[in-house]
Amino acid sequence: MADGPTGAVLALLGVLSVYAASGSGPVVERETGGETEWAEPWDGAVFRPPSALGAVGMTRSPRTPQPGREEAGDLPVLLWWSPGLFPHFSGDSERIECARGACVASRNRRVLRDSRTRALLFYGTDFRASDAPLPRLAHQSWALLHEESPLNNFLLSHGPGIRLFNLTSTFSRHSDYPLSLQWLPGTAYLRRPVPPLQERAEWRRRGYAPLLYLQSHCDVPADRDRYVRELMRHIPVDSYGKCLQNRELPAARLQDTATATTEDPELLAFLSRYKFHLALENAICNDYMTEKLWRPMHLGAVPVYRGSPSVRDWMPNNHSIILIDDFESPQKLAEFIDFLDKNDEEYMKYLAYKQPGGITNQFLLDSLKHREWGLNDPLLPNYLNGFECFVCDHELARLDAEKAHAASPSDSPSPETHIAQPSHMDCPMPTPGFGNVEEIPENDSSLVQVRDHCICLRFLWPCSEKGRTHSYAVVP
């Protein structure tokens, strides 16, 4: 048995599993003369998650709601159990209009036991088993919003964790309300002009490397620093973050995240001088793609990428990124980057998507066109409001199905319970960034972090006695 706080969390998680089985100024795209323009942000507004982590306002559906539930007292209530994410300006409750009708969104936990409270909305990073509202009421759905990777809450990447929820909104295309393109504002963002190659050649002559690494979150489950460290033995890499740092950013203001964001125009101008950017996610999950991938493409650099195994499905064409896992070793990758660095014609093939008609991936185009939310787009709801309406519509449909069943059980079956699946946090078992587990020293900081997760989850996934054989089973 697990001891102390860990044991308590695991015990409560088991109880929960039983119950489960039962902004700143807007950044917009605008049409001018048939071409879509991109309004460049100045303060990181593109990559600022909404609500508690950025400014958000109310958004009402432009569609006409169905009649029949006009009085607020008759409307289903959606309770945000993570109150810091409540996507409305003020107050504890707000009527929202959605496709099927209206609901009341609230962050007032006093309505938990109210019969009208039909759904609880949780933010995955904040979710703790010890804070879960028990006993769980049979008439309530649990809905999870978790756009982050397992690094933020690894419990949700295990079957017993994700199956606590009925509805999900995650980075995975298999979730109920997918957020796979949460870091891509639109196609215009990808079509930003490429800096002249002459400028980049001059940058190289001044002693800068062809390859940039900017990362300050070290020792993550993806173990990216181990790979980069080995790659540095074969090709120059300028590393500006806290991880493997060997250079300083050109201004003190840019070095301080309190005074400059990753979308600061001065920082973007500096980063755009590099032809290649190392883009390694903090965890390896299907469809988990962040600004580490999209920002280099915006700047006209070629991402050297390790992250989502399904990343090819989302690329603007079939020749726009370099995948680390396509190469048998860091040395072979370094040789290929060096070849492209010395051959402009071959290098520019990776930027063909920036030309008219260069975005040929219809799946990407359709996904952007049909998603119901936007990124800091005043004409579309943000994904918090969109998720809220998705849950509202689900509960209205469930209420109608329950009433139909009550009126005529033989003609209308009772609505089936929808349970989230592990594919909604689609994360294959990670492997070391370079080499294998047996070769990693016992005192290695990244191994210690992963081993701790493994020990915490030993009843959910087997670990060896030392916590090494399955130490990368953080996200099976």
Side-chain angles (χ1 to χ4, degrees), residues 15-231:
V15 172
L16 288 171
S17 298
V18 172
Y19 276 105
S22 72
S24 300
V27 179
V28 299
E29 295 184 27
R30 55 181 181 273
E31 299 291 337
T32 57
E35 292 293 328
T36 305
E37 290 186 353
W38 175 256
E40 189 75 61
W42 66 272
D43 66 347
V46 174
F47 298 126
R48 178 175 299 149
S51 196
L53 305 179
V56 175
M58 292 183 298
T59 302
R60 300 188 187 278
S61 170
R63 294 166 287 189
T64 303
Q66 295 181 351
R69 295 187 181 94
E70 295 302 320
E71 296 299 325
D74 298 330
L75 300 179
V77 175
L78 316 179
L79 174 59
W80 282 91
W81 198 251
S82 304
L85 235 63
F86 189 60
H88 303 282
F89 278 124
S90 60
D92 286 336
S93 298
E94 182 70 34
R95 177 184 170 125
I96 58 173
E97 302 286 353
C98 301
R100 292 188 66 95
C103 293
V104 172
S106 177
R107 59 181 171 186
N108 184 352
R109 291 190 175 188
R110 287 179 294 181
V111 305
L112 172 63
R113 304 298 173 193
D114 195 302
S115 62
R116 295 169 300 172
T117 300
R118 298 281 301 182
L120 273 61
L121 281 59
F122 299 87
Y123 183 48
T125 299
D126 296 339
F127 178 77
R128 298 293 181 270
S130 58
D131 185 46
L134 296 178
R136 184 168 178 174
L137 302 185
H139 72 283
Q140 291 178 347
S141 298
W142 281 17
L144 171 71
L145 180 108
H146 190 50
E147 85 286 15
E148 294 285 357
S149 79
L151 180 65
N152 293 72
N153 194 336
F154 58 89
L155 290 175
L156 300 175
S157 294
H158 293 265
I162 194 66
R163 284 192 287 266
L164 297 174
F165 301 93
N166 304 104
L167 304 173
T168 63
S169 181
T170 75
F171 52 78
S172 172
R173 74 185 82 180
H174 302 297
S175 70
D176 300 302
Y177 191 78
L179 302 175
S180 306
L181 296 176
Q182 61 183 297
W183 296 98
L184 180 60
T187 55
Y189 183 77
L190 295 173
R191 291 197 295 266
R192 184 180 191 260
V194 180
L197 286 179
Q198 297 90 324
E199 287 185 11
R200 288 174 165 174
E202 175 59 27
W203 193 246
R204 295 283 283 111
R205 285 191 290 269
R206 291 172 57 185
Y208 288 86
L211 193 55
L212 172 139
Y213 187 49
L214 178 62
Q215 189 54 249
S216 292
H217 196 169
C218 314
D219 296 334
V220 297
D223 201 26
R224 56 193 170 201
D225 294 339
R226 192 183 312 280
Y227 187 92
V228 176
R229 187 181 297 111
E230 178 65 20
L231 183 65

Side-chain angles (χ1 to χ4, degrees), residues 364-379:
L364 174 66
L365 294 172
D366 289 345
S367 298
L368 287 169
K369 179 180 179 181
H370 297 301
R371 69 183 180 186
E372 299 177 356
W373 46 269
L375 296 178
N376 296 281
D377 186 336
L379 303 179

